[in-house]
Amino acid sequence: MTASSAPYLRPPWGARVIGNRMAKLFARSVLSTLSVRGRTSGQWRSVPVAVLDHDGERYLIAPRGNTEWSRNLRAAKSGRLRRGGRVEEFEAVEVPADERPPLIAVYLEHYGRFPTVTETFRQLPDPADHPTFRIVDSRGLS
């Protein structure tokens, strides 16, 4: 399956319009803001994400499948994470699909209680449908 044909679950209106704003307010201890340059426009695009810390490594997993942020990160291979007042630039490497199942299991242990997370993995059960990136190099900006 090519990246352009990979499944994507569009979030419902409430999750897109209200959920992301509420997440920024109420889940500050869990969520970071990921910023990645758009693969076509070159403009910075930002979205709240949960960064998975596991076995001394950090990962970004796209629960909804082949999202815009995952497609942009695949193309740019770098981005920025903001949490609180701290910003870091990072480089990322995509994790092969056969290495994703244990990471997805840990992700669900940590974040499965949040609205829609577990359901999205039920709807897209194939680990290949969830772009996953290892943060391999990071530099703090502030």
Side-chain angles (χ1 to χ4, degrees), residues 7-138:
Y8 168 66
L9 295 175
R10 183 176 169 92
W13 179 87
R16 286 191 321 271
V17 176
I18 299 166
N20 282 349
R21 290 185 181 118
M22 298 302 283
K24 289 178 188 177
L25 293 173
F26 295 109
R28 288 183 180 167
S29 65
V30 174
L31 296 178
S32 298
T33 300
L34 169 67
S35 299
V36 181
R37 287 202 183 267
R39 61 194 178 283
T40 304
S41 70
Q43 299 296 312
W44 287 98
R45 306 291 184 204
S46 298
V47 62
V49 294
V51 178
L52 176 65
D53 288 301
H54 179 63
D55 285 345
E57 301 278 356
R58 294 185 306 152
Y59 300 89
L60 295 169
I61 298 176
R64 294 194 161 276
N66 199 37
T67 61
E68 289 296 324
W69 74 255
S70 67
R71 292 165 55 184
N72 288 336
L73 188 56
R74 184 177 291 125
K77 297 181 180 24
S78 65
R80 292 181 183 156
L81 285 169
R82 175 184 303 271
R83 190 159 180 189
R86 187 172 159 252
V87 178
E88 66 174 299
E89 289 186 349
F90 69 91
E91 292 179 21
V93 172
E94 192 159 6
V95 175
D98 63 337
E99 296 176 21
R100 295 177 189 171
L103 297 172
I104 290 171
V106 173
Y107 187 91
L108 286 169
E109 286 175 19
H110 284 80
Y111 306 117
R113 70 187 185 326
F114 291 101
T116 74
V117 171
T118 299
E119 184 58 27
T120 60
F121 284 96
R122 278 193 200 115
Q123 290 178 36
L124 294 175
D126 186 347
D129 293 339
H130 300 280
T132 301
F133 299 87
R134 181 179 298 109
I135 296 171
V136 294
D137 185 28
S138 109

